[in-house]
Amino acid sequence: MPVLRPPLAGWRDRLRQIEDLGFHAVAVSDHLGDGWSMDPLLTMASAAEATTTLRVGTGVLCNDFYHPVHLHRSISNLDVLSGGRVTLGLGAGYRLTDYQVSGVPFDPAPVRIARLAESIAVLKGLFAGERFDFAGEHFRISGLTGAPRPVQGPHPPIMIGGGGRRMLELAAREADVVNINPRLSKDLSIERIEHELSSEGLREKVELVRTAAAAAGRDPDELRLQVSMLDVRIAEHHWSSGLLSWLPEGVYDRSPLALDGDVTRCADVLLELRDETGISEIHLGGNPLAVAPIVNKLL
């Protein structure tokens, strides 16, 4: 999602340009403090209004900031207003600063993940549009009928992002789109981070997701797999995620999440990634004009 800066007409023009360039979707993050300012739900609504085919999604909402009853109503309304162009990305929350500045308790990971699992159960129950009851450890719903019914059935696609086993297994059981992330924690050794960023590490997580989906009675081939390019170098353009800023030079040079080369090579690398892993959705960073030639090559 383009950063929201005045004039607003220019922001809408950038969205329409992204649509015209052939991109499938724009995604908006959900963070607080340190310059983060865009409200995901409001900017998704405005972006959908400014475009006609471009999908809008969250990459990802911090589940602890939203009660699933209210989130369901917002997403259902957005899906109706956009004509069925919404993807709901959800995460358990990982950025400590988000919690510190808002005063929301930063519970241990198992608690946050369990709460996310309950939120998804509530959301799916309400998206069905029938009278719904739920009694969990974190949420209790009594006799609520979800409305309005979303355009997309049985519900807008749910994307779950994560890098650890618990999150990936939850995504395999419940998500339509699984965003597979490397774990990039300063608590990990450089050797472990190198593995997380490696082709082998990525393949292991893809296999984990597929195995967990099959164990849950789902067809692994029906899952859409997604990754984010963390470093993109094409011609004069260089974009790098802030997640890499503290890592020593060279740690991610050979990572499948680093895209480097001319347009043809970059397109070929993405096609090879799809053929070898089944990953078919790629986040290409924050400069659509720079990477548009790659998209054009793939259309």
Side-chain angles (χ1 to χ4, degrees):
M1 187 80 75
V3 176
L4 187 58
R5 296 192 182 100
L8 189 56
W11 183 75
R12 292 186 172 123
D13 287 343
R14 288 193 294 276
L15 283 161
R16 285 188 280 266
Q17 183 181 48
I18 290 170
E19 182 175 60
D20 292 342
L21 289 170
F23 287 89
H24 175 67
V26 288
V28 58
S29 299
D30 185 24
H31 296 300
L32 299 171
D34 300 327
W36 295 94
S37 62
M38 291 199 297
D39 178 279
L41 299 176
L42 289 176
T43 51
M44 284 168 65
S46 187
E49 185 70 20
T51 56
T52 55
T53 61
L54 192 68
R55 293 190 63 84
V56 294
T58 51
V60 295
L61 291 182
C62 177
N63 179 66
D64 286 341
F65 296 164
Y66 304 88
H67 192 289
V69 165
H70 300 294
L71 182 59
H72 158 265
R73 183 169 59 180
S74 294
I75 295 299
S76 287
N77 274 270
L78 269 172
D79 203 54
V80 171
L81 291 169
S82 68
R85 290 187 281 139
V86 172
T87 297
L88 172 58
L90 281 171
Y94 72 93
R95 188 172 179 264
L96 181 58
T97 303
D98 293 336
Y99 289 81
Q100 290 174 330
V101 299
S102 62
V104 175
F106 188 61
D107 292 324
V111 176
R112 286 180 279 121
I113 294 171
R115 189 157 46 234
L116 173 60
E118 285 196 11
S119 288
I120 294 167
V122 172
L123 286 163
K124 287 185 175 181
L126 292 173
F127 280 132
E130 300 175 355
R131 183 182 173 89
F132 179 69
D133 297 276
F134 182 85
E137 183 178 351
H138 303 281
F139 302 106
R140 298 184 67 85
I141 313 300
S142 179
L144 179 62
T145 300
R149 290 291 296 270
V151 172
Q152 299 177 94
H155 51 73
I158 294 174
M159 185 268 279
I160 298 177
R165 175 175 292 275
R166 287 191 188 95
M167 281 295 294
L168 290 175
E169 288 178 343
L170 173 62
R173 294 192 303 268
E174 300 292 347
D176 304 287
V177 185
V178 181
N179 181 274
I180 300 174
N181 299 316
R183 293 178 62 218
L184 301 177
S185 169
K186 294 182 180 180
D187 296 333
L188 300 177
S189 68
I190 290 298
E191 291 75 21
R192 179 61 197 176
I193 290 173
E194 286 180 329
H195 182 75
E196 287 281 325
L197 289 166
S198 69
S199 296
E200 181 183 359
L202 180 59
R203 284 195 297 269
E204 288 174 359
K205 292 187 179 185
V206 169
E207 186 57 32
L208 187 160
V209 169
R210 293 181 63 83
T211 299
R218 304 185 70 188
D219 182 354
D221 292 333
E222 292 185 357
L223 290 177
R224 287 149 51 194
L225 303 181
Q226 180 185 107
V227 294
S228 296
M229 289 293 127
L230 299 180
D231 193 75
V232 180
R233 300 169 187 261
I234 174 174
E236 301 299 321
H237 169 67
H238 178 211
W239 177 88
S240 188
S241 168
L243 295 171
L244 302 177
S245 60
W246 59 276
L247 292 175
E249 188 175 346
V251 168
Y252 51 87
D253 284 352
R254 297 184 181 180
S255 172
L257 305 181
L259 204 56
D260 185 9
D262 60 23
V263 170
T264 298
R265 182 180 186 281
C266 290
D268 288 344
V269 166
L270 295 182
L271 291 173
E272 289 171 8
L273 182 65
R274 182 196 63 186
D275 294 342
E276 292 175 3
T277 65
I279 294 169
S280 60
E281 297 192 8
I282 311 291
H283 188 290
L284 285 173
N287 189 333
L289 284 177
V291 297
I294 301 174
V295 175
N296 184 63
K297 191 79 173 176
L298 294 170
L299 290 177

